[in-house]
Amino acid sequence: MSQPPYGDPAPVTSGSSGSSGDAAPTASGPSGSPAASAVSGDAAPTARLLPGGPVAERILAEVAGRVAALVRRGVTPALATVLVGDDDASAGYIRIKQRQAAELGFASPHAHLPADATQADLHSVIESFNADPAVHGLLVQYPVPAHLDYDRALMAVDPDKDVDGMHPLNMGRLALGLPGPLPCTPAGIEELLAHHGIPVSGREVVILGRGATLGRPLAMLLGQKRPTANAAVTVVHTGVPDWTRYTRRADILIAAAGVPGIIRPEHVKPGAVVIGGGVRYAGRRLLPDVDESCAQVAGAITPRVGGVGPTTVAMLFRNAVAAAERATAAANGPGDRRISG
Ligand SMILES: NC(=O)c1ccc[n+]([C@@H]2O[C@H](COP(=O)([O-])OP(=O)(O)OC[C@H]3O[C@@H](n4cnc5c(N)ncnc54)[C@H](OP(=O)(O)O)[C@@H]3O)[C@@H](O)[C@H]2O)c1
């Protein structure tokens, strides 16, 4: 499993949808789907927009309050970052996280390894952050240079400090319904739906994509017994050639494929909620899974930019402050060291 730089930058977007004259690759659509869009690209969007910005602001305000409470107790929460190599975009993502960390009151120790660092060098830095009691959260920026194994590095991160919620132990906790840091983007999508008052419980959610970072954990999350989840979840993928049969009946359709423009209006039930989670970057250009023309069919839809992405970043900091609270509780006495989201 690997961690793309979700929602990290303020991306430069293409002026058109991913499937209309853009230089970006486009989805050919599943077999049997109509070749042309069911809706003219000229019609005005009708769907209500579901921006992620206000959701992120609310979560970050909550995080800031929790950071302030820790600081009052003499604890400065610290989110450490590790960058390997000289990729400009990755360095930019780290700067954005450090700026956000500083605004929230986190310390943000950072290790920058050269592009020719070995796997052992990377693990040595991870181990030193793991062992440092002043560091509560740890993030290894994706991608790492091709000669390094990102997944092995992720496994080396102390699960208690895993702010991405992607360590296998934490994914296992999610599968078992145990408390723990949640994968940021799936958790952000649940928050986004709840924030905008979209009922999920008892409704049919169809997720296109079963990837380890988004579709699979999201299916586990939204299927849990909880008022903001509790859904009938169906996951479709390349093994389901007629996947539009499922997406067309979804009350809530969530794109998690990473195939620009793969979701088109004819794949959406009129009035359905459409969440664009999957994106691909062409340089800094964002190419979403959901074609913009879906707004003419959907009842509510995430905007092309500023939908799921901001909630992902906010959930990262929520995981980080929770990690600091747990570590402090453990250090301060016989407290319970179980992870608790
Ligand atoms: N917005 C955000 O903040 C955010 C956060 C996290 C991830 N993402 C994005 O979410 C996307 C998914 O990431 P991931 O790592 O979870 O997934 P992934 O491992 O890339 O898997 C993609 C999934 O989509 C399915 N798929 C691809 N093309 C398809 C097609 N033509 N028809 C049907 N299914 C198709 C694949 O099916 P198979 O399994 O059959 O191959 C697979 O299950 C990526 O674009 C990623 O960048 C965005």
Side-chain angles (χ1 to χ4, degrees):
M1 96 189 66
S2 359
Q3 189 82 333
Y6 324 121
D8 269 327
V12 177
T13 60
S14 60
S16 59
S17 79
S19 59
S20 57
D22 202 284
T26 58
S28 55
S31 57
S33 72
S37 168
V39 177
S40 153
D42 298 333
T46 55
R48 170 188 162 209
L49 285 181
L50 306 172
V55 190
E57 276 173 30
R58 183 181 51 73
I59 295 167
L60 291 174
E62 168 217 304
V63 170
R66 291 166 68 176
V67 169
L70 283 167
V71 169
R72 280 196 295 277
R73 287 165 42 205
V75 178
T76 301
L79 170 58
T81 49
V82 179
L83 174 66
V84 189
D86 302 311
D87 180 61
D88 279 347
S90 294
Y93 303 147
I94 290 282
R95 277 195 299 275
I96 289 168
K97 284 169 192 155
Q98 288 177 326
R99 203 177 310 134
Q100 183 70 74
E103 277 174 27
L104 290 167
F106 282 85
S108 47
H110 179 64
H112 187 179
L113 295 175
D116 61 357
T118 64
Q119 191 82 28
D121 294 333
L122 176 55
H123 285 238
S124 161
V125 167
I126 291 170
E127 287 307 327
S128 75
F129 280 136
N130 280 348
D132 185 346
V135 169
H136 307 106
L138 173 53
L139 172 76
V140 180
Q141 181 65 43
Y142 180 89
V144 292
H147 66 281
L148 298 177
D149 184 336
Y150 182 82
D151 293 343
R152 267 185 63 207
L154 181 62
M155 290 226 249
V157 171
D158 178 345
D160 277 351
K161 299 189 180 188
D162 166 34
V163 289
D164 279 325
M166 294 297 297
H167 187 284
L169 186 77
N170 291 323
M171 292 289 270
R173 286 182 165 121
L174 172 61
L176 294 171
L178 298 173
L182 296 171
C184 298
T185 305
I189 289 175
E190 184 180 344
E191 289 280 344
L192 184 135
L193 290 165
H195 177 97
H196 289 290
I198 308 286
V200 176
S201 180
R203 300 180 84 201
E204 177 149 17
V205 172
V206 175
I207 301 170
L208 176 64
R210 58 181 163 189
T213 43
L214 186 47
R216 201 176 316 166
L218 182 61
M220 290 194 279
L221 201 60
L222 294 184
Q224 287 182 346
K225 200 165 188 172
R226 186 171 49 245
T228 53
N230 222 18
V233 182
T234 301
V235 181
V236 292
H237 39 73
T238 61
V240 184
D242 60 343
W243 54 259
T244 64
R245 185 158 69 87
Y246 299 87
T247 62
R248 281 198 304 265
R249 70 177 198 213
D251 299 315
I252 300 171
L253 171 57
I254 304 177
V259 180
I262 191 168
I263 298 290
R264 302 191 52 80
E266 61 269 28
H267 308 148
V268 176
K269 179 169 85 171
V273 174
V274 178
I275 305 293
V279 292
R280 192 181 292 170
Y281 285 92
R284 287 181 62 80
R285 231 168 29 144
L286 179 90
L287 305 171
D289 281 4
V290 177
D291 192 278
E292 273 176 302
S293 55
C294 291
Q296 295 157 33
V297 176
I301 192 167
T302 47
R304 179 180 168 73
V305 179
V308 169
T311 69
T312 298
V313 179
M315 295 309 297
L316 180 84
F317 284 99
R318 184 186 268 174
N319 279 342
V321 77
E325 289 166 346
R326 285 193 305 271
T328 313
N332 281 355
D336 185 348
R337 196 162 157 65
R338 282 177 309 171
I339 280 184
S340 61

